[in-house]
Amino acid sequence: MFAEGSLKFLRYCALLIPKRRDVKKMRYISGLVAAGVVTVSIKQASMKSAPIDFSQFMAEPITSIDTLKNNSDDMKTKMELLIMKIQRDFCKALEAEEDPDTKFTVDRWTRKEGGGGITCILQDGLVFEKAGVNISVVTGNLPPGAVQQMKSRGKEFGTGGSLPFFAAGVSSVIHPRNPMVPTIHFNYRYFEVVDSNGKKQWWFGGGTDLTPYYLNEEDSIHFHSTLKKACDQHDSTYYSKFKKWCDDYFVITHRGERRGVGGIFFDDLDSPSQEKAFQFVSSCAHSVIPSYIPLVKKHKDDAYGYYEREWQLLRRGRYVEFNLIYDRGTKFGLYTPGARYESILMSLPLTAKWLYMHSPAKGSKEAELMDVLKNPRDWLGIEKQR
């Protein structure tokens, strides 16, 4: 039997059909209903009016519920709901590796210029010394400094000073206690800017990268393989292109070394279409847990001593140098009016160290890592296959 909504649809269509063709047309429409075409439309309509499940988030969304429900097809809505779910899923995955009593502190904040964010911080855990998983959804006007930074990347916004913008993103940095567990960073974001001619420009950016303190080739291969799988669902050229971009971006220039063993990185992505670009970003964001959590499980109980801890603190110092001197996201955040500095600087570790003219001993495990940081590897052997 047909659903009540489907029968109403049939009756409505019958009124529009000339009487001489009633039988043929009704058979055609009935076939559409039986095939599920009408039922699918009804389901889609009900999905749009379905309530948002707060249990999927760490806190209430930044944008009002009514606005999200009434604009479900808007990319701003899609991105906000995506980053909130990614935040919740990753926080819960990290908590599952921790002592049962160690949980994230959740801080929902707003900014008077427009929008706000949700900062989730875990500190002094048994497994994670510091873990931050943040989302922000902000609106307002870009000051000239931020506009100039974007123009330096080739963005053209016409003449004029500040520009209306929307930005939504999720960002996370995990600093483990055990030096055998690597640090991970990921960030996925969406921008809209209205240029001086009133035209809306949009783009996505982001990436995921790994920073080990001791090299484990099996871990690096697993990490890169997971990212490649996410990329290949959308474009077979993405992984190689964005892997190189990552190697070239996360460079501590004054040290002549990379921050870690890479991953993927991209920015200003506005093709092949807005929806397809969003789906790619979604796949990358969902690949974070399978790329990283297995490494935490594998190494969180590994043995280490004073010397390994000291090396970890020195490498964290390098991490701080990159984030404060070169990182594009940190600079953008600090340029943005009403910036929340506590959230922007959540990427910094609780403890780090600098020693004058330190150099690891030749042939040591530390020197092995340094060789990779100075000479990025093709972890999946893709270049050899070409």
Side-chain angles (χ1 to χ4, degrees):
M1 295 180 64
F2 294 125
E4 181 180 352
S6 300
L7 289 173
K8 288 180 180 178
F9 176 78
L10 278 172
R11 295 186 187 110
Y12 172 75
C13 290
L15 295 175
L16 303 179
I17 300 170
K19 294 300 181 181
R20 289 179 299 174
R21 299 182 178 178
D22 276 359
V23 175
K24 287 186 178 180
K25 293 292 185 180
M26 285 299 290
R27 284 175 180 170
Y28 172 70
I29 296 168
S30 299
L32 290 177
V33 177
V37 174
V38 174
T39 304
V40 170
S41 299
I42 293 171
K43 285 182 179 179
Q44 289 175 338
S46 64
M47 283 173 64
K48 290 185 178 181
S49 60
I52 297 174
D53 184 1
F54 285 111
S55 68
Q56 298 299 309
F57 309 139
M58 297 298 285
E60 182 181 343
I62 302 303
T63 304
S64 72
I65 300 302
D66 286 342
T67 299
L68 293 174
K69 289 175 63 177
N70 294 333
N71 297 275
S72 59
D73 290 331
D74 192 306
M75 187 52 67
K76 295 190 291 292
T77 297
K78 292 181 180 181
M79 192 63 184
E80 181 169 354
L81 296 181
L82 170 66
I83 62 178
M84 292 201 65
K85 187 172 189 311
I86 293 299
Q87 180 188 49
R88 189 261 185 189
D89 289 351
F90 194 46
C91 285
K92 294 304 179 183
L94 295 173
E95 286 180 345
E97 302 305 317
E98 265 291 357
D99 179 84
D101 295 328
T102 302
K103 303 294 181 184
F104 275 91
T105 297
V106 180
D107 181 16
R108 185 183 185 277
W109 50 273
T110 57
R111 58 193 289 273
K112 63 180 181 180
E113 293 81 2
I118 301 167
T119 300
C120 295
I121 295 289
L122 187 156
Q123 294 184 152
D124 282 325
L126 292 178
V127 177
F128 305 109
E129 191 169 324
K130 185 179 180 183
V133 190
N134 296 350
I135 69 104
S136 61
V137 180
V138 296
T139 59
N141 290 287
L142 286 176
V147 174
Q148 187 59 42
Q149 183 191 351
M150 291 181 177
K151 283 186 175 180
S152 69
R153 307 200 315 262
K155 290 291 181 185
E156 292 295 335
F157 300 120
T159 58
S162 61
L163 300 172
F165 82 100
F166 168 89
V170 57
S171 180
S172 177
V173 177
I174 311 302
H175 294 292
R177 189 173 295 279
N178 192 317
M180 304 304 161
V181 179
T183 281
I184 192 174
H185 157 260
F186 73 89
N187 173 283
Y188 291 98
R189 55 195 178 272
Y190 173 69
F191 280 93
E192 286 186 3
V193 176
V194 179
D195 64 23
S196 59
N197 298 316
K199 179 183 177 182
K200 182 175 72 175
Q201 298 188 36
W202 61 266
W203 67 90
F204 293 89
T208 308
D209 62 282
L210 196 70
T211 303
Y213 305 99
Y214 286 91
L215 185 64
N216 184 300
E217 294 189 2
E218 186 179 88
D219 292 351
S220 297
I221 292 172
H222 164 81
F223 181 76
H224 280 268
S225 294
T226 307
L227 298 185
K228 183 178 185 299
K229 182 178 179 181
C231 291
D232 286 351
Q233 295 177 39
H234 304 272
D235 190 315
S236 61
T237 69
Y238 275 178
Y239 169 75
S240 294
K241 179 166 57 177
F242 297 153
K243 191 264 187 191
K244 184 181 186 306
W245 200 340
C246 185
D247 288 338
D248 293 341
Y249 176 75
F250 289 104
V251 178
I252 310 172
T253 306
H254 61 281
R255 299 284 189 182
E257 61 193 49
R258 270 70 180 175
R259 192 173 74 175
V261 296
I264 58 171
F265 176 84
F266 59 92
D267 210 348
D268 303 323
L269 182 68
D270 56 6
S271 63
S273 69
Q274 190 179 57
E275 181 60 30
K276 288 183 177 180
F278 171 72
Q279 291 301 329
F280 166 63
V281 167
S282 179
S283 294
C284 292
H286 281 98
S287 74
V288 170
I289 290 177
S291 74
Y292 183 62
I293 295 300
L295 307 185
V296 176
K297 292 178 180 290
K298 180 180 176 181
H299 296 295
K300 67 179 182 179
D301 296 320
D302 286 0
Y304 69 93
Y306 172 83
Y307 190 80
E308 288 79 16
R309 171 64 171 173
E310 288 294 290
W311 175 247
Q312 180 192 48
L313 296 179
L314 287 171
R315 291 312 307 169
R316 283 184 181 175
R318 298 290 203 269
Y319 206 94
V320 171
E321 290 176 24
F322 177 86
N323 282 25
L324 294 183
I325 298 173
Y326 302 110
D327 186 64
R328 189 179 294 175
T330 302
K331 288 182 178 180
F332 175 82
L334 296 176
Y335 277 130
T336 304
R340 196 168 189 273
Y341 304 115
E342 289 292 334
S343 297
I344 295 170
L345 299 177
M346 70 88 194
S347 63
L348 304 183
L350 284 185
T351 52
K353 198 167 189 174
W354 285 262
L355 290 179
Y356 184 72
M357 298 296 287
H358 180 273
S359 181
K362 186 176 180 180
S364 65
K365 290 290 185 183
E366 293 77 18
E368 180 185 26
L369 175 69
M370 290 305 301
D371 180 66
V372 172
L373 299 184
K374 292 178 181 293
N375 304 285
R377 288 189 190 176
D378 174 16
W379 294 104
L380 305 182
I382 293 176
E383 293 301 321
K384 294 179 181 179
Q385 299 172 15
R386 292 179 176 177

